[in-house]
Amino acid sequence: MSKIPKVSPLTIDKLNANVVNAKYAVRGRLAIRAEQLKATLAEGSSTLPFSKVINANIGNPQQLDQKPITFYRQVLSIVEYPQLLEKPEASIIYKADAIARAKKIISNVGSVGAYSNAQGIQIIRDSVASFIEKRDGFPADPHSIFLTSGASSAVTMLLNAQATGNKAGFLIPIPQYPLYSATLTLMGASAVQYHLDEAKSWATNVDEISQIVNKAKLEGIDLKTIVVINPGNPTGTVLPEENIRGIIDIAAQHEIVIIADEVYQENVYLGEFISFKKVLRKMQQEFPGKYDTVELASLHSTSKGMIGECGHRGGYMELVGFNKEVVDTIYKLAAIQLCANVPGQVAVELMVNPPVKGDASYEEFTREYSHIFNTLKHRSSVLYKAFESMEGVSCQAPEGAMYLFPQITLPKKAIEEAQRLNEVPDEFYCLQLLEETGICVIPGSGFGQKDGTWHFRTTFLAPVDDYAAALTKFHQRFMDKYRD
Amino acid sequence: MSKIPKVSPLTIDKLNANVVNAKYAVRGRLAIRAEQLKATLAEGSSTLPFSKVINANIGNPQQLDQKPITFYRQVLSIVEYPQLLEKPEASIIYKADAIARAKKIISNVGSVGAYSNAQGIQIIRDSVASFIEKRDGFPADPHSIFLTSGASSAVTMLLNAQATGNKAGFLIPIPQYPLYSATLTLMGASAVQYHLDEAKSWATNVDEISQIVNKAKLEGIDLKTIVVINPGNPTGTVLPEENIRGIIDIAAQHEIVIIADEVYQENVYLGEFISFKKVLRKMQQEFPGKYDTVELASLHSTSKGMIGECGHRGGYMELVGFNKEVVDTIYKLAAIQLCANVPGQVAVELMVNPPVKGDASYEEFTREYSHIFNTLKHRSSVLYKAFESMEGVSCQAPEGAMYLFPQITLPKKAIEEAQRLNEVPDEFYCLQLLEETGICVIPGSGFGQKDGTWHFRTTFLAPVDDYAAALTKFHQRFMDKYRD
């Protein structure tokens, strides 16, 4: 093996401090430790008290037991190898509608091995526009749609475009998905935090946001954007229309852009998803002129929903109400990275344009889709009940997304022990959970939480009965050990 | 259609100036105009003087007439839909070695729909390490290898990690691939230009680089990295070992990182590709101690070579000699974007691990590979001869990559006419070429060139006979029109 010299000239103190300071808990310390434990288990001779690691730290359904939806994968399989259509056996392996869809894509896209237009393939943007129109009952413009590498690259482009320095403020929810805080740190911009209200199912508090906006302005912060995650990550909350109206109102009043992270729009188990775009268009109709210049970027992804195709890194963003020169600038950012991967773009096409009644795959698709939906709903409910039964744990009922974010009232002794070890208390809890059970969750401190409260985020993707039992048992042991 | 309001609050003057100022000619003005012309042609009723647009502006082989290599696509097709292996017809459609390889990948990777490790899938990094070992005759460490979204995302991470402000200097060649200058502008860092020597087949001039390094230091620039593109883009030059040694010497002496952009390592038609890693290891053997702490990042991609799978956005980087904490920081940057798309990672596996003698696909693979290689070599040669025959055009003989970068001595009248129209003269030339023939190339000013010289970059990917004839005719017309 190569010998890595002990000290090369480039040391961490010489690196970009923004990069060094950025934090990303979803794949941070807990996740890295989980990888080490997996490697130990793979060696075969471990004395660990568990036989497998359960990655409940990341919304990655197909890493656990979720099967891909057959129709999606049949089409992707054909577009990767179009020559198979020349073989008569193809029609035995692939359903007729998968073949027809693949042919349509191939005839429009050509090879998936070619770079596409930097903004994404035209016919797929057309499909996205139709999907949005059908969802909202308001038109969408394919020219305002960008196909992106998951939602992450959309976030990077949007924040980068407005990151004018440390006086540039971006309102982000607390708790939040740490992509936002990490990206703002990378870009040397300021995160301006607004708290979601745990007592009200983690709803947004429009009055508090207004106060924060005014305070930030007084402090010389140039507010650029408000980020809203709906359904919430990590909270799982589905925002009511009233909340969305309140945020649009603030955006209009203070001339700030809205980033609506709506990647969990299909993961709704209680209540109803309403898009920011739809509410904005309604408000524009109700109050002519008042909301015409509101700027909204809405994000979606193939990683979530029932498609769950994380590894394909597909996504889109719709830019509503932006000036053309701003859209052109974002186009340039996309072009510098050439294009989003093309199979991922095809996955977007499939997500927004699934089989319909009468198609050969329709029944199978519906069965698979419902199975995934029902499984997620069931697991969220079992896990929620488990949390409700645990000592010192409270949890909002699961409404959407793939997560629960229970609050744990940690015993004083546990907090003291954590402090003695120079650990954040919720990380101390999560590390013990990992070491004792192989379950990897993320401490609330990775997302942000009110001072003095402790949480963790778990997905409800893992097979739930054993998982809930192991969590419950661990929690009881932990509480017994540190009981005041 | 949605009405976009005329002026929304976010105007271009409020955006991040670094983003506004970044330039990326490969998909810039010429490419955008080419897209418009394509749309006009697609409408069917055009009166344009050509029937199709030829994108010679971007190394995108499968957008033109290059067919994907069958073995690669068979494996990708199976990993997208593993259930097909349960059908007996699979063995009629797919070759035995493609099935075996797909099974191996599936059994190690699981679903390609799951996020992978942020650094990339372990067994694929193992394959990359074996490939490098075989190529160089020196060991490679899978822990130092990152699978990336093309080479572009590797460049972004590497530059971002060291971009400490406008005093942070990065040596880039002139002419260069504009990803480098664009990314440095985005990050507010300084490009320090060194010229490749056109009279010496665009070789690096080590003495000149030394002078530039010393001058930059005197000016208070903190030099971080030297970027070398070998084989060259846009120049096509394959660097001799002597040049590589000179650059490693400078890097060792001044303690600067080397980024070796080696994405065209298989595209060599004259001479031999020698990797920076191999030369570094040789120098470390020859001069014990002297080069032990040289830091080298070597980049590769599935977009180039004979694989040409641009749309799959696969790539890797090997980090040699970096301190662990720096590698960990780069890991964090990768983790913030979750992972490179997994089918693209599989494409890397296939690129570094092609069929070998005795495999069912070996003959077909060899035939397809050679066909692509010979076609590229033939086209480069025909196009080169065409340039050699043109009035006022000189061009280096094609050695590597996918490009020729001829110098054009523009007539004084043409330059004056361009200036009158407020156009850069080489852009003026390229725009006329596009409008009259549908051929899209990129002006030399997009890559950088010595003051007072004019070039353009063309790929040699298009079917060449018509292409060379159309170029030649246009050039003659242009020269006749503006002759002094």
Side-chain angles (χ1 to χ4, degrees):
Chain A
M1 298 303 292
S2 69
K3 269 187 264 172
I4 294 181
K6 276 200 179 115
V7 182
S8 290
L10 187 59
T11 47
I12 199 164
D13 56 297
K14 293 182 191 161
L15 295 181
N16 179 346
N18 291 337
V19 174
V20 174
N21 293 334
K23 285 185 177 50
Y24 188 67
V26 175
R27 296 208 142 185
R29 182 177 173 197
L30 271 290
I32 289 169
R33 179 65 187 145
E35 292 284 320
Q36 291 167 345
L37 291 170
K38 268 188 209 173
T40 306
L41 288 171
E43 284 164 14
S45 60
S46 98
T47 55
L48 294 172
F50 48 85
S51 59
K52 65 176 177 186
V53 168
I54 296 173
N55 278 102
N57 58 307
I58 184 165
N60 194 9
Q62 295 187 26
Q63 185 189 33
L64 295 161
D65 71 339
Q66 186 171 310
K67 297 272 171 300
I69 287 180
T70 303
F71 173 78
Y72 298 155
R73 292 302 195 87
Q74 286 204 347
V75 176
L76 284 163
S77 177
I78 301 169
V79 300
E80 284 288 5
Y81 184 48
Q83 287 99 308
L84 65 80
L85 293 173
E86 292 158 18
K87 314 242 179 183
E89 292 78 14
S91 60
I92 302 171
I93 295 185
Y94 299 97
K95 288 225 165 70
D97 57 340
I99 291 175
R101 181 68 65 85
K103 280 185 179 169
K104 187 185 161 201
I105 293 168
I106 293 161
S107 76
N108 276 280
V109 171
S111 172
V112 294
Y115 295 125
S116 73
N117 177 297
Q119 191 171 347
I121 292 161
Q122 178 68 49
I123 58 149
I124 299 179
R125 288 189 279 127
D126 293 345
S127 293
V128 170
S130 303
F131 162 81
I132 294 170
E133 286 183 23
K134 210 170 137 193
R135 183 193 68 190
D136 294 341
F138 291 95
D141 178 359
H143 295 100
S144 305
I145 290 161
F146 283 69
L147 303 183
T148 55
S149 179
S152 304
S153 76
V155 170
T156 304
M157 289 191 278
L158 290 167
L159 299 184
N160 196 5
Q162 289 194 288
T164 52
N166 63 9
K167 289 289 175 197
F170 294 77
L171 286 151
I172 61 169
I174 292 298
Q176 52 118 16
Y177 175 51
L179 170 66
Y180 292 98
S181 51
T183 306
L184 292 172
T185 304
L186 286 180
M187 291 170 179
S190 290
V192 178
Q193 306 184 341
Y194 66 91
H195 283 94
L196 302 175
D197 190 344
E198 187 165 9
K200 291 186 179 157
S201 303
W202 297 109
T204 51
N205 180 335
V206 173
D207 290 339
E208 194 207 276
I209 296 173
S210 281
Q211 287 168 25
I212 289 166
V213 166
N214 291 327
K215 185 163 164 271
K217 285 186 168 180
L218 282 176
E219 288 166 358
I221 296 290
D222 180 10
L223 282 178
K224 302 286 190 181
T225 284
I226 180 166
V227 173
V228 186
I229 310 173
N230 179 42
N233 177 1
T235 62
T237 299
V238 179
L239 287 183
E241 181 166 338
E242 184 196 342
N243 273 221
I244 296 172
R245 285 181 175 258
I247 288 158
I248 292 173
D249 227 19
I250 289 174
Q253 193 185 332
H254 299 282
E255 301 196 338
I256 54 184
V257 171
I258 302 168
I259 295 181
D261 179 338
E262 298 176 323
V263 300
Y264 295 99
Q265 59 189 266
E266 284 188 69
N267 298 91
V268 175
Y269 318 103
L270 194 70
E272 187 199 359
F273 168 76
I274 312 166
S275 76
F276 266 79
K277 169 90 177 290
K278 181 175 183 172
V279 178
L280 174 62
R281 290 295 187 234
K282 280 168 72 177
M283 291 169 78
Q284 287 171 338
Q285 284 182 340
E286 292 164 17
F287 307 95
K290 189 168 174 197
Y291 298 103
D292 279 3
T293 59
V294 170
E295 292 145 319
L296 164 68
S298 162
L299 316 184
H300 198 6
S301 163
T302 63
S303 301
K304 312 302 170 188
M306 304 316 124
I307 178 169
E309 292 286 357
C310 304
H312 281 89
R313 313 301 286 113
Y316 76 75
M317 64 176 165
E318 185 190 14
L319 299 178
V320 181
F322 286 85
N323 293 317
K324 183 179 180 300
E325 67 218 32
V326 176
V327 177
D328 288 348
T329 304
I330 288 170
Y331 174 89
K332 184 176 64 183
L333 280 176
I336 290 173
Q337 294 291 318
L338 296 167
C339 68
N341 90 83
V342 175
Q345 295 187 42
V346 173
V348 173
E349 158 70 22
L350 299 171
M351 174 178 74
V352 299
N353 217 351
V356 293
K357 208 160 185 170
D359 290 351
S361 297
Y362 180 69
E363 263 187 51
E364 183 182 53
F365 173 81
T366 308
R367 195 171 58 245
E368 291 174 340
Y369 189 98
S370 303
H371 173 72
I372 295 171
F373 182 85
N374 292 332
T375 302
L376 289 173
K377 188 169 178 172
H378 169 71
R379 288 177 180 179
S380 71
S381 158
V382 173
L383 201 54
Y384 169 63
K385 281 182 201 141
F387 285 133
E388 286 290 284
S389 75
M390 290 183 202
E391 178 186 354
V393 173
S394 68
C395 187
Q396 297 303 323
E399 297 179 2
M402 296 178 168
Y403 314 104
L404 290 177
F405 194 62
Q407 179 172 161
I408 337 161
T409 306
L410 291 173
K412 207 170 136 229
K413 271 193 202 158
I415 293 172
E416 286 166 358
E417 177 67 3
Q419 284 164 342
R420 203 183 58 80
L421 295 167
N422 218 4
E423 301 270 3
V424 182
D426 54 1
E427 191 162 291
F428 172 78
Y429 177 94
C430 294
L431 271 170
Q432 289 201 28
L433 174 65
L434 176 60
E435 298 290 347
E436 291 184 25
T437 66
I439 293 172
C440 183
V441 299
I442 310 176
S445 46
F447 303 92
Q449 54 200 349
K450 277 219 160 145
D451 286 348
T453 68
W454 308 108
H455 301 75
F456 64 85
R457 187 190 81 168
T458 173
T459 69
F460 41 78
L461 297 168
V464 78
D465 294 326
D466 291 354
Y467 180 63
L471 255 180
T472 306
K473 263 195 215 162
F474 164 80
H475 182 74
Q476 199 53 51
R477 276 202 308 278
F478 184 92
M479 295 302 278
D480 290 346
K481 187 168 170 188
Y482 295 104
R483 198 179 307 283
D484 299 323
Chain B
M1 299 301 293
S2 69
K3 269 186 264 168
I4 293 180
K6 276 201 180 116
V7 182
S8 290
L10 187 59
T11 46
I12 198 163
D13 56 298
K14 293 182 192 161
L15 295 181
N16 179 345
N18 291 337
V19 174
V20 174
N21 293 334
K23 285 184 178 50
Y24 189 66
V26 174
R27 298 207 141 186
R29 181 176 173 198
L30 270 289
I32 289 168
R33 179 64 188 143
E35 293 284 319
Q36 291 167 344
L37 291 170
K38 267 188 210 173
T40 306
L41 288 171
E43 285 164 13
S45 60
S46 98
T47 54
L48 294 172
F50 48 85
S51 59
K52 65 176 176 186
V53 168
I54 296 172
N55 278 102
N57 58 308
I58 185 165
N60 194 9
Q62 295 186 25
Q63 185 189 31
L64 295 162
D65 71 339
Q66 186 171 308
K67 298 268 173 303
I69 287 180
T70 303
F71 173 77
Y72 298 153
R73 291 303 194 86
Q74 287 204 347
V75 177
L76 285 163
S77 176
I78 301 169
V79 300
E80 284 288 4
Y81 184 49
Q83 288 100 305
L84 65 82
L85 293 172
E86 293 158 17
K87 314 243 178 181
E89 292 78 13
S91 60
I92 302 170
I93 295 185
Y94 299 98
K95 287 226 164 70
D97 58 340
I99 291 175
R101 181 68 66 83
K103 280 185 178 167
K104 189 186 159 199
I105 293 168
I106 293 160
S107 76
N108 275 279
V109 170
S111 171
V112 295
Y115 295 125
S116 73
N117 176 299
Q119 190 170 349
I121 291 161
Q122 178 68 47
I123 58 147
I124 300 179
R125 288 188 281 128
D126 293 344
S127 293
V128 170
S130 303
F131 162 81
I132 295 170
E133 286 184 23
K134 209 170 136 194
R135 182 192 69 190
D136 294 341
F138 290 96
D141 179 358
H143 294 101
S144 305
I145 290 160
F146 284 68
L147 303 182
T148 55
S149 179
S152 304
S153 77
V155 169
T156 303
M157 289 191 277
L158 290 166
L159 299 184
N160 197 5
Q162 289 195 289
T164 52
N166 63 9
K167 288 291 175 196
F170 294 76
L171 286 151
I172 61 169
I174 294 297
Q176 52 115 19
Y177 175 52
L179 169 66
Y180 292 98
S181 51
T183 306
L184 292 172
T185 304
L186 286 180
M187 291 171 179
S190 290
V192 179
Q193 305 184 342
Y194 66 92
H195 284 92
L196 303 175
D197 190 343
E198 186 165 11
K200 291 184 180 160
S201 303
W202 296 108
T204 52
N205 180 336
V206 174
D207 290 340
E208 194 208 276
I209 296 173
S210 281
Q211 287 167 23
I212 289 167
V213 166
N214 291 326
K215 185 164 163 271
K217 285 185 168 179
L218 281 175
E219 288 166 356
I221 297 291
D222 180 10
L223 282 177
K224 302 286 190 182
T225 284
I226 179 165
V227 174
V228 186
I229 310 173
N230 179 42
N233 177 2
T235 63
T237 299
V238 179
L239 287 183
E241 181 166 339
E242 186 196 337
N243 274 220
I244 296 172
R245 284 181 175 258
I247 288 159
I248 292 174
D249 227 21
I250 289 173
Q253 194 186 332
H254 298 282
E255 301 196 338
I256 53 184
V257 171
I258 302 168
I259 295 180
D261 179 338
E262 297 176 322
V263 300
Y264 296 98
Q265 58 188 267
E266 284 188 70
N267 298 90
V268 175
Y269 318 103
L270 193 71
E272 189 199 357
F273 169 75
I274 312 166
S275 76
F276 266 79
K277 168 91 177 292
K278 181 175 183 173
V279 178
L280 173 62
R281 290 295 186 233
K282 280 167 72 177
M283 291 169 78
Q284 287 172 339
Q285 284 183 338
E286 291 164 18
F287 308 95
K290 190 168 173 195
Y291 298 102
D292 280 2
T293 59
V294 170
E295 293 145 319
L296 164 68
S298 162
L299 316 183
H300 199 6
S301 162
T302 63
S303 302
K304 312 303 170 188
M306 303 316 124
I307 179 170
E309 291 286 357
C310 305
H312 281 88
R313 313 299 289 116
Y316 77 75
M317 66 175 164
E318 185 190 13
L319 299 178
V320 181
F322 286 84
N323 293 317
K324 183 179 179 301
E325 68 218 33
V326 176
V327 177
D328 289 348
T329 304
I330 288 171
Y331 174 89
K332 184 176 63 183
L333 280 177
I336 291 173
Q337 293 291 319
L338 296 167
C339 68
N341 90 83
V342 175
Q345 295 187 42
V346 173
V348 173
E349 158 70 22
L350 300 171
M351 174 177 73
V352 299
N353 218 349
V356 293
K357 208 163 182 166
D359 290 351
S361 297
Y362 180 69
E363 263 187 53
E364 183 182 50
F365 172 80
T366 309
R367 195 171 58 245
E368 292 174 339
Y369 188 99
S370 304
H371 173 72
I372 295 170
F373 182 85
N374 292 331
T375 303
L376 289 173
K377 189 169 176 172
H378 169 72
R379 289 177 180 178
S380 71
S381 159
V382 172
L383 202 53
Y384 169 63
K385 280 182 200 138
F387 286 133
E388 286 290 282
S389 75
M390 290 182 200
E391 178 187 354
V393 173
S394 68
C395 187
Q396 297 302 323
E399 296 179 0
M402 296 178 170
Y403 314 105
L404 290 177
F405 194 63
Q407 181 174 157
I408 339 161
T409 306
L410 291 173
K412 209 172 134 226
K413 271 192 198 157
I415 294 172
E416 284 166 1
E417 177 66 3
Q419 285 164 341
R420 201 183 60 78
L421 296 166
N422 219 5
E423 301 270 3
V424 183
D426 54 2
E427 192 162 291
F428 171 78
Y429 177 95
C430 294
L431 272 170
Q432 289 201 25
L433 174 64
L434 176 59
E435 299 289 348
E436 291 184 24
T437 66
I439 294 172
C440 183
V441 299
I442 311 174
S445 46
F447 303 92
Q449 55 200 347
K450 277 218 159 142
D451 287 348
T453 68
W454 308 108
H455 300 76
F456 65 85
R457 187 189 81 169
T458 173
T459 69
F460 41 78
L461 297 168
V464 76
D465 293 328
D466 291 354
Y467 181 61
L471 255 179
T472 306
K473 263 195 214 162
F474 163 79
H475 182 75
Q476 199 53 52
R477 275 203 309 277
F478 184 92
M479 296 302 278
D480 290 346
K481 186 169 172 188
Y482 295 105
R483 199 179 307 283
D484 298 324

